[in-house]
Amino acid sequence: MSKRFKQLTKNADKNFNQMLIGVLIVAIGIFLWADKNYFFWPPQLRPLMNSEWSDIIFIILGICLLWAALTGNHSRKFQSILLIVASAAVAMLLVEQLWHVLFAHKIEMIMAVILDAGLLVMLIRCAYKN
């Protein structure tokens, strides 16, 4: 194996939680991009919440987290900013989904709320360990 590949696998092992978070955030972004009617409450915010821009932000954010983890998080400041922005994005997603559960009585979204809460805890833990 090449030296570069060994370093990438070493970084991936060292930053496994951050890589997992990055993959999950990319998956969330792709899912939201595919489903343009996911959010429906409140009706006034429906176009904003289902905007392609928020989906693109999730995808780019996840890719940046993956890239930073694979390259070894050389810049702690950049890693901190990425983790803070990702935490804010996931927290906002969690609140939006919680609104649907509480106010629109869309109880099926409770699993998404639980999984987003778990992802948020992982993000906070990574930021704390940083």
Side-chain angles (χ1 to χ4, degrees):
M1 285 194 290
S2 71
K3 184 178 178 181
R4 180 84 172 138
F5 183 74
K6 285 182 182 179
Q7 185 61 40
L8 285 176
T9 55
K10 182 180 174 185
N11 289 340
D13 187 44
K14 180 181 170 192
N15 302 309
F16 180 76
N17 286 341
Q18 184 176 336
M19 287 192 52
L20 180 61
I21 291 168
V23 168
L24 292 173
I25 290 178
V26 168
I28 289 170
I30 291 170
F31 171 77
L32 291 174
W33 183 301
D35 189 357
K36 288 298 165 204
N37 295 313
Y38 185 69
F39 297 112
F40 58 88
W41 194 93
Q44 304 89 334
L45 296 178
R46 185 176 183 184
L48 178 67
M49 291 189 301
N50 288 313
S51 167
E52 288 180 357
W53 289 105
S54 60
D55 312 339
I56 292 170
I57 289 170
F58 268 93
I59 293 170
I60 291 172
L61 190 57
I63 291 170
C64 287
L65 282 166
L66 281 168
W67 175 78
L70 282 174
T71 58
N73 292 318
H74 292 297
S75 171
R76 291 288 181 204
K77 186 178 253 186
F78 181 66
Q79 182 191 19
S80 297
I81 291 169
L82 277 176
L83 291 171
I84 290 168
V85 172
S87 297
V90 170
M92 189 165 35
L93 181 66
L94 187 143
V95 168
E96 288 175 2
Q97 291 169 336
L98 193 58
W99 281 355
H100 283 74
V101 172
L102 296 176
F103 302 121
H105 307 292
K106 187 81 167 168
I107 197 70
E108 304 87 46
M109 282 185 143
I110 196 69
M111 184 57 71
V113 171
I114 293 168
L115 294 175
D116 285 344
L119 182 58
L120 185 59
V121 167
M122 286 179 63
L123 275 161
I124 292 170
R125 183 174 184 269
C126 278
Y128 178 75
K129 291 185 90 176
N130 184 24

